[in-house]
Amino acid sequence: MSDTTELRDAVADVLRGRCSPAVLEDAERDGGAPTVWAALADGGFTTVSVPEPAGGSGGSVAQACAVLEAVGAAAAPVPVAETGLLAGRLLARAGLGLPDGPLSTAPSPGLVLDDGVLVGSVDRVPWGRSAASALVVDGGTVVLVEPGTGVVTPGRNLAGEPRDHVDLTGVRPAAVAPVDPIAVDELARRGALSRAALIAGAARAVLELTLRYTGDREQFGRPVARFPAVAAHLVQIAEQTELAAMAVGAAAAGAGDEGEPDPLAVAAAASVAADVAGAVATAAHQATGAMGMTREFGLGVLTRRLWSWRDEWGGGRSWAAELGHALAAGGADTFWPTISRGLVR
């Protein structure tokens, strides 16, 4: 068993029983699940991939993605991706230590720093109402904004997770530090990879849920899973789930122990995961029929996240275009070696 598999299983054990339907309902209403967050934070799982000197738990991008697969499978309504792989690594890159509590971040192209004061707003900030935000301004400066600072207009995605509009005009950041301008592109790629990892985890949970339901439910004296039409959906879900896991694994492993994921691999993983999200959700709802649409059955919680996450940090279409442009730019001689290099280089 690999270290990433062990880590994913460890996080799954922590989350088992903590993301009940009641907890998820409360999180959609209240904007978070403090007990779920506390359990993950106590274990150091929220800051995996952030260097220890910066206040993180250490570890690689691959290990952070393993954590996110478990978080996605449990539909845990907490900003683990934002705190560790995204904002945490961004702060560390700028030489800033991690503050206590959850972190967030989002693309902030319209935000500027004028004489030490922020001007502008940021849209769709995950958990922006309750988490400190690490944001890039002017293309080369990282600012840390304390939770609840500025004018917050609550919003949410299809899954009910907070995605807030935050007007920071007039706010003085709690910390400011310069950062290499390439950090903006790195953050965008880690954002896309984080969503791909969450999707891979949620897709696996959808597969297990659908297999269990269609195996238990009988019609005409046999489990509905044995009907060819249903079986075809199950096969498609299984194939797509493995496809997403392989794409995420290849992109994450390419980062090595301390590096950043390869741009081409991230574009491939994000593009594949977005397609997988749609295909898995469609097939699962077809296989479970009307039951899959009820709030009492867990499928909807997962598929609403699949539909939400595939559109964040660029979305599948933009990453597919990025992938196509990169492959075309490499020319005919590099095309086959590039697409066939596999999980381990």
Side-chain angles (χ1 to χ4, degrees), residues 15-69:
L15 293 174
R16 188 166 293 114
R18 284 192 164 91
C19 296
S20 65
V23 169
L24 296 180
E25 287 274 357
D26 290 347
E28 286 197 28
R29 184 191 62 232
D30 302 334
T35 57
V36 177
W37 172 263
L40 291 171
D42 287 346
F45 298 118
T46 55
T47 57
V48 172
S49 83
V50 181
E52 292 184 33
S57 301
S60 64
V61 170
Q63 290 171 325
C65 286
V67 171
L68 294 179
E69 286 190 40

Side-chain angles (χ1 to χ4, degrees), residues 3-183:
D3 60 342
T4 55
T5 302
E6 290 177 350
L7 184 56
R8 186 183 67 195
D9 292 347
V11 176
D13 287 341
V14 170
L15 293 174
R16 188 166 293 114
R18 284 192 164 91
C19 296
S20 65
V23 169
L24 296 180
E25 287 274 357
D26 290 347
E28 286 197 28
R29 184 191 62 232
D30 302 334
T35 57
V36 177
W37 172 263
L40 291 171
D42 287 346
F45 298 118
T46 55
T47 57
V48 172
S49 83
V50 181
E52 292 184 33
S57 301
S60 64
V61 170
Q63 290 171 325
C65 286
V67 171
L68 294 179
E69 286 190 40
V71 169
V78 286
V80 176
E82 287 72 20
T83 300
L85 188 59
L86 304 183
R89 282 177 71 97
L90 177 62
L91 289 174
R93 186 86 151 81
L96 297 173
L98 267 65
D100 293 333
L103 289 169
S104 187
T105 188
S108 49
L111 195 64
V112 298
L113 192 62
D114 183 10
D115 196 21
V117 176
L118 292 168
V119 178
S121 60
V122 187
D123 200 20
R124 299 189 67 76
V125 182
W127 285 272
R129 71 195 71 171
S130 57
S133 295
L135 303 164
V136 178
V137 299
D138 303 329
T141 302
V142 172
V143 299
L144 177 64
V145 179
E146 294 180 341
T149 305
V151 179
V152 178
T153 303
R156 62 181 188 172
N157 61 15
L158 183 62
E161 297 173 318
R163 297 293 186 265
D164 301 327
H165 179 87
V166 183
D167 188 345
L168 293 169
T169 300
V171 171
R172 190 173 295 276
V176 179
V179 70
D180 190 322
I182 199 174

Side-chain angles (χ1 to χ4, degrees), residues 142-287:
V142 172
V143 299
L144 177 64
V145 179
E146 294 180 341
T149 305
V151 179
V152 178
T153 303
R156 62 181 188 172
N157 61 15
L158 183 62
E161 297 173 318
R163 297 293 186 265
D164 301 327
H165 179 87
V166 183
D167 188 345
L168 293 169
T169 300
V171 171
R172 190 173 295 276
V176 179
V179 70
D180 190 322
I182 199 174
V184 177
D185 292 335
E186 292 175 345
L187 178 63
R189 286 195 287 270
R190 293 200 306 277
L193 184 59
S194 74
R195 268 37 184 184
L198 290 167
I199 286 172
R204 190 167 299 283
V206 168
L207 172 63
E208 294 171 357
L209 190 67
T210 309
L211 282 173
R212 189 163 56 246
Y213 177 77
T214 57
D216 290 343
R217 186 189 172 201
E218 293 190 354
Q219 197 166 31
F220 305 116
R222 57 176 175 167
V224 296
R226 294 186 185 177
F227 288 86
V230 176
H233 290 311
L234 297 177
V235 169
Q236 184 183 19
I237 297 170
E239 290 175 339
Q240 294 292 313
T241 297
E242 287 306 313
L243 187 61
M246 290 175 62
V248 171
D257 292 335
E258 298 179 355
E260 289 287 323
D262 176 71
L264 196 68
V266 170
S271 176
V272 165
D275 288 344
V276 167
V280 165
T282 299
H285 280 291
Q286 289 280 352

